[in-house]
Amino acid sequence: MKIVVTGANGFTGQHTVQYLASKGFEVFALSRGKARLAHHPSIHYHACELTNVSSVDELINQIKPDWIIHIAAMSKPDECNNERENCLLHNVQATIYLGEAANRHQSKFIYFSTDFIFGENGPHGEDDITGPLNFYGESKLQAENWVKQYVPKAVIVRPVFIYGPELPGSRPSFIQWVQKQLIQEKSIKVVNDQKRTPTYVFDICQGIETIILGNHEGIFHLAGLEIITPYQMAVEVANCLSLNINLIEAVDSTTFPEPVKRAKQSGLKIDRAQAILNYKPHSFAEGVRKSFLADQLLNN
């Protein structure tokens, strides 16, 4: 089975590509620039500008994939707010080009969205009323709505605050940032008034595999079980690694003034994924432990 994964050089994309290849799928990894992926005989890397319709058409026509997993996005809310045209180009127009290519070649389509399409009062279910609080969320919702309308039997996946092992060449996730600061005995301030359902990256990968093998369709929230704050996450990292918890200071979000609004009470409900996909996410503590165990193995 041929699977295209966009955003293959990013954190979630790298993990998805390598996970699917390890499960025997033939994976065509798309991103910009040079590949940052570990060598694997089932991974084929292609540099591709997803905002160029002819490049997208040519590549999808060449590969003729069974599935297209669209993870690539302009995902920093502040950047999206400041560069709105560029944000729409990358988050909406690129999705349209890939969705149209999927339709032409009868490829199944998985679109990676975000909890940012919702506002306050989380955790949210798949069918809750949307209400993005910033332009990044608006752009992702626009793309979602296009996919729902124009790509038959598409899948929309929504994760939250993804973390996991740090792969070579990718940005570390939040837990590695906490680890590195505390190892250097640096004090850190972490917000304690924003709640999320943090998502272990391998739980997402397993969910995607189940969707593909079961030929599922519709919207699935692939997130964690617990609704916790970044401060509580940081404390868990310190506990896991026996680092100094006293270096972590709980603060509210006014400590870090930001140009865009973010939800205080976010997160996603996972009942549908549990019922249909038999989705069983790790606890945050277990996900953190496994992440750092994997980091040790990768660095040795």
Side-chain angles (χ1 to χ4, degrees):
M1 192 181 291
K2 294 180 180 180
I3 301 177
V4 161
V5 179
T6 73
N9 278 337
F11 181 83
T12 306
Q14 275 195 36
H15 278 286
T16 303
V17 166
Q18 293 183 189
Y19 177 89
L20 292 174
S22 75
K23 295 296 182 178
F25 295 99
E26 190 173 5
V27 185
F28 296 81
L30 275 54
S31 200
R32 286 186 289 184
K34 294 181 180 178
R36 300 177 196 161
L37 299 156
H39 175 75
H40 191 287
S42 295
I43 297 174
H44 314 280
Y45 181 78
H46 296 269
C48 182
E49 179 50 70
L50 298 178
T51 60
N52 184 317
V53 65
S54 58
S55 296
V56 171
D57 282 345
E58 183 179 337
L59 199 50
I60 300 303
N61 184 52
Q62 175 188 328
I63 297 168
K64 295 180 172 57
D66 298 285
W67 288 80
I68 297 173
I69 305 174
H70 181 33
I71 301 173
M74 188 170 168
S75 58
K76 295 179 180 177
D78 295 354
E79 190 177 301
C80 289
N81 185 61
N82 295 333
E83 302 175 29
R84 297 193 173 203
E85 286 188 18
N86 203 28
C87 171
L88 292 175
L89 181 63
H90 284 85
N91 289 356
V92 182
Q93 198 59 54
T95 302
I96 292 171
Y97 293 155
L98 283 160
E100 288 176 340
N103 288 341
R104 277 193 292 275
H105 296 284
Q106 291 162 342
S107 307
K108 292 296 294 289
F109 192 68
I110 299 176
Y111 173 67
F112 261 65
S113 188
T114 172
D115 62 314
F116 276 77
I117 67 156
F118 296 109
E120 293 288 0
N121 303 315
H124 300 278
E126 281 86 352
D127 299 322
D128 282 6
I129 296 171
T130 56
L133 300 178
N134 55 54
F135 195 74
Y136 165 64
E138 289 177 21
S139 71
K140 295 295 283 184
L141 182 58
Q142 281 187 44
E144 262 203 31
N145 288 337
W146 185 89
V147 170
K148 288 177 190 173
Q149 185 170 356
Y150 294 107
V151 185
K153 299 184 177 180
V155 179
I156 292 170
V157 167
R158 298 178 186 140
V160 184
F161 207 105
I162 303 168
Y163 70 94
E166 181 179 357
L167 294 176
S170 74
R171 271 188 323 194
S173 61
F174 172 77
I175 63 171
Q176 282 86 17
W177 174 78
V178 172
Q179 174 204 30
K180 288 165 187 174
Q181 299 302 305
L182 298 185
I183 284 174
Q184 295 172 38
E185 298 187 351
K186 293 181 179 178
S187 296
I188 56 174
K189 295 180 179 182
V190 187
V191 295
N192 199 32
D193 63 344
Q194 294 180 350
K195 292 185 176 180
R196 304 287 184 264
T197 47
T199 314
Y200 182 45
V201 71
F202 283 109
D203 290 334
I204 298 176
C205 293
Q206 289 173 341
I208 291 296
E209 181 188 16
T210 303
I211 288 167
I212 290 170
L213 293 177
N215 201 31
H216 292 284
E217 59 188 78
I219 304 172
F220 294 99
H221 286 174
L222 300 184
L225 277 169
E226 300 134 297
I227 180 158
I228 56 177
T229 70
Y231 170 75
Q232 291 171 312
M233 297 179 212
V235 168
E236 188 58 56
V237 170
N239 283 330
C240 175
L241 300 174
S242 299
L243 296 171
N244 188 356
I245 292 173
N246 295 323
L247 292 170
I248 309 169
E249 180 184 351
V251 298
D252 63 37
S253 49
T254 59
T255 305
F256 306 105
E258 295 176 307
V260 303
K261 191 173 182 182
R262 288 168 170 81
K264 292 284 186 69
Q265 182 86 7
S266 184
L268 297 174
K269 296 177 182 177
I270 57 173
D271 308 65
R272 185 168 190 263
Q274 288 174 310
I276 297 174
L277 306 178
N278 195 29
Y279 179 66
K280 296 176 180 177
H282 292 73
S283 69
F284 184 73
E286 184 67 6
V288 167
R289 189 189 69 80
K290 288 195 168 190
S291 295
F292 286 117
L293 182 62
D295 283 347
Q296 290 172 8
L297 293 173
L298 283 166
N299 293 321
N300 289 334

